[in-house]
Amino acid sequence: MAFEVNKVVTDRTADGKSVFAEEKSVESGPVLGLDIFNIWGTADGAPCVGAGDNPATVPFPFFPGPGGSRFIVVRFPPDSAAAEPGGADPEEAAAQAERIQPGLIGVFEPDTPGMHTTDSVDYGVCVEGEVYLELDDGAEAHVTPGTCVVQQGTRHAWRNRSDAPCTMVFVLLGAGRTTG
């Protein structure tokens, strides 16, 4: 049962009164079989809030830099729904994905489908379906509704081996990466 994604955004007027700034449904930006709903984002650096001067959403680049954030909903289709070989040109599909979700494709490894590493701390909650979180050594965790994931910039992939979509809600917090 897929639910409709809606958002409600609050703000404050210049005199400090709380108001609803935005109430609307959110359309997905479908890429490579995923349905991605960009709910909100903040600019890199420490976000500020104030009376009537709260900044607008900054949804891109897809992954925030240090101090930035993104709030997204992602529907993962079953792996079995992936495009068959001989389908769309992979380079054109990647270019289209970059146009729809700028900054998303660059983190993915072309030789290991789905595997990627981001400079972010990601909080995820499974709200529908099931998916496996795979790490670089092949270890996996089965993620089902109610499972909360804290992804700390590690190399990983999401694998939906079921026959139904999986919906995850994520908050991505941009972070710097240490070396060594």
Side-chain angles (χ1 to χ4, degrees):
M1 168 184 123
F3 56 89
E4 183 177 340
V5 178
N6 297 296
K7 73 175 169 182
V8 175
V9 178
T10 64
D11 203 346
R12 290 188 294 166
T13 62
D15 62 355
K17 181 182 183 307
S18 298
V19 295
F20 290 108
E22 187 176 357
E23 296 180 72
K24 68 178 196 174
S25 64
V26 179
E27 299 297 320
S28 74
V31 295
L32 305 174
L34 301 171
D35 283 324
I36 300 174
F37 300 83
N38 304 94
I39 308 298
W40 197 259
T42 61
D44 297 351
C48 298
V49 294
D53 61 354
N54 290 330
T57 184
V58 180
F60 302 109
F62 189 87
F63 295 101
S69 69
R70 302 293 182 268
F71 180 22
I72 61 173
V73 175
V74 179
R75 268 197 201 115
F76 295 92
D79 288 352
S80 62
E84 294 295 319
D89 173 30
E91 287 183 19
E92 175 53 34
Q96 180 180 6
E98 187 62 23
R99 284 190 297 274
I100 295 169
Q101 296 287 335
L104 173 65
I105 296 302
V107 301
F108 285 88
E109 300 173 14
D111 296 334
T112 313
M115 198 60 76
H116 61 287
T117 307
T118 63
D119 292 341
S120 58
V121 175
D122 306 340
Y123 303 132
V125 180
C126 181
V127 295
E128 178 180 56
E130 63 181 279
V131 68
Y132 287 84
L133 172 58
E134 178 186 345
L135 301 183
D136 58 7
D137 65 356
E140 294 183 333
H142 187 207
V143 177
T144 57
T147 302
C148 299
V149 176
V150 178
Q151 179 64 31
Q152 299 187 86
T154 56
R155 184 173 178 258
H156 67 286
W158 299 98
R159 311 283 187 203
N160 183 348
R161 297 189 184 111
S162 76
D163 59 358
C166 173
T167 303
M168 295 280 297
V169 175
F170 292 99
V171 174
L172 314 176
L173 303 174
R177 181 166 299 278
T178 59
T179 57

